[in-house]
Amino acid sequence: MTPGFIATVNQLGLVEVGAVAGSRDAGEEKAGIDFDASLAFNPRSSLIPYARKGGVTRDLITPYGGDSIFAGLASVVDLSGSFDSDMQKQAALIVYLGERSKGSRAFTLQTLINKLDEHKTKAGKKAKKDDDKPSTEDKVMAKVLSGEMPLVVGVSRAADIIELIKVKERFGIDLVISGAEDALPIKAELAAAKVPVILSAMANLPGDFDSLNASLETAGELEKAGVLVALTIAGDSSHNVYQLRYDAGNAIANGMSREGALKAITSNVADIFNIKDAGSIEVGKAADLAVWSADPFEFSTTLEKVMINGVEVSTESRHDKLRDRYMAE
């Protein structure tokens, strides 16, 4: 038995078919700091039962934004499939930096710094009139600057991450790096700055000049260096949340400890995003549990039972129904 796994950085419940624009609700060209994609979360998405088959009981769903570097707000949802699913809104602010098809990465980083500076200055001033009530953006940035809300930055290149560590030290923010394919050369710096990293254990080939040091050993090496690591799914992550345990198994095969891999999909995620009632099996927490036929990180192991908030939920997915339909005599 393990705690229910917690997936991260995907659009589960916000997309049904990636190639069908009408079923995609995680992105918006005009999105900004106050964009809350969870308003479109569909707990009855066919992708959710399939994710549960992999022992995943909660998920950090994230917007992918638009023209701005600020993609919007992430939320933590349970995968019970209920319309009154537990939801932790404003779990993090999502920002995307790094390489650009047009323009300079320096401009986007400067945009982030300027926005933090602007709201730090604004927070130091008292409102002169009752009409000067804080906007949603003001409230979000106040939480980021106070360290109450993590700032998750999607970035890969080591040099960019070093600059972000300087930003963390300057403003005292709770910085989380997502992607981090180039993190190996700066693992000591990440550990010293206490910056958590969310990465794919399967990112082993450079897809661009920002990820030249991508390696299957990254998760294990970061763990050994003392970095708090969470694992996510690369590529079409919303449709493949089910395979999170397989990716964790591959991380173990390439140097991560078994305990570290389990924490990277349970308690570490809970710690990073302040999820107080999940991520571990202990008194006072929600009974999000997965029962396995054997070691969950072995490919041949099957899920026997899964519970969310102490209630057993079905492991039947659309895939099972299609199998039964087309294999019937």
Side-chain angles (χ1 to χ4, degrees):
M1 184 169 66
T2 66
F5 300 153
I6 308 175
T8 58
V9 190
N10 58 65
Q11 289 78 51
L12 192 65
L14 299 175
V15 61
E16 200 65 35
V17 179
V20 179
S23 74
R24 301 193 303 261
D25 292 305
E28 168 59 51
E29 288 184 4
K30 299 178 181 179
I33 291 171
D34 58 353
F35 176 53
D36 182 5
S38 71
L39 294 171
F41 176 69
N42 177 20
R44 297 298 175 87
S45 167
S46 65
L47 305 185
I48 288 177
Y50 186 56
R52 289 201 301 256
K53 290 176 74 68
V56 179
T57 56
R58 301 204 181 212
D59 188 20
L60 179 85
I61 56 172
T62 55
Y64 52 76
D67 296 334
S68 170
I69 64 168
F70 297 99
L73 297 161
S75 298
V76 177
V77 297
D78 77 34
L79 303 189
S80 63
S82 170
F83 286 116
D84 58 354
S85 301
D86 283 347
M87 182 178 291
Q88 176 186 331
K89 287 180 172 286
Q90 297 192 2
L93 175 61
I94 308 299
V95 172
Y96 289 104
L97 300 179
E99 68 169 13
R100 323 299 291 181
S101 57
K102 293 182 179 180
S104 168
R105 74 182 70 221
F107 180 80
T108 58
L109 180 57
Q110 188 64 58
T111 300
L112 173 61
I113 293 170
N114 290 344
K115 183 63 71 172
L116 290 168
D117 252 334
E118 172 193 337
H119 282 274
K120 184 177 180 179
T121 301
K122 184 181 290 188
K125 297 179 179 179
K126 293 183 179 179
K128 296 180 180 180
K129 301 178 182 178
D130 292 337
D131 293 339
D132 295 335
K133 293 181 179 179
S135 64
T136 301
E137 177 179 316
D138 292 335
K139 293 176 182 178
V140 169
M141 292 305 296
K143 289 181 178 180
V144 170
L145 286 165
S146 68
E148 182 182 347
M149 179 188 296
L151 179 70
V152 179
V153 181
V155 68
S156 295
R157 197 173 74 168
D160 296 337
I161 297 173
I162 290 294
E163 291 301 319
L164 285 165
I165 290 175
K166 295 176 183 177
V167 173
K168 169 186 168 67
E169 294 170 348
R170 174 178 170 182
F171 292 99
I173 59 176
D174 182 7
L175 175 67
V176 180
I177 299 298
S178 175
E181 285 93 342
D182 202 34
L184 270 180
I186 56 167
K187 58 185 180 182
E189 289 84 348
L190 285 164
K194 296 183 179 179
V195 175
V197 169
I198 303 171
L199 55 81
S200 166
M202 303 307 294
N204 70 319
L205 292 172
D208 49 41
F209 287 104
D210 281 13
S211 55
L212 295 178
N213 289 291
S215 168
L216 292 174
E217 298 177 353
T218 300
E221 290 298 315
L222 291 180
E223 179 200 9
K224 292 170 186 173
V227 178
L228 191 66
V229 177
L231 296 179
T232 188
I233 302 295
D236 191 6
S237 56
S238 305
H239 292 77
N240 291 302
V241 175
Y242 165 84
Q243 71 184 39
L244 185 60
R245 68 184 181 102
Y246 300 139
D247 284 21
N250 277 282
I252 296 169
N254 287 279
M256 198 173 201
S257 70
R258 187 182 185 283
E259 180 183 5
L262 179 60
K263 287 183 176 180
I265 54 177
T266 55
S267 61
N268 286 1
V269 184
D271 289 343
I272 293 170
F273 296 106
N274 197 30
I275 308 170
K276 297 187 180 300
D277 60 347
S280 59
I281 303 173
E282 56 185 293
V283 174
K285 294 202 172 183
D288 287 4
L289 307 170
V291 180
W292 305 90
S293 63
D295 183 344
F297 301 133
E298 290 292 342
F299 189 80
S300 59
T301 297
T302 57
L303 179 68
E304 296 185 343
K305 181 182 293 188
V306 63
M307 302 178 74
I308 298 178
N309 291 317
V311 178
E312 185 174 357
V313 293
S314 172
T315 60
E316 183 182 54
S317 72
R318 178 171 177 268
H319 301 68
D320 299 308
K321 294 176 182 178
L322 289 172
R323 176 200 62 201
D324 294 343
R325 175 179 178 181
Y326 291 109
M327 291 187 69
E329 292 185 2

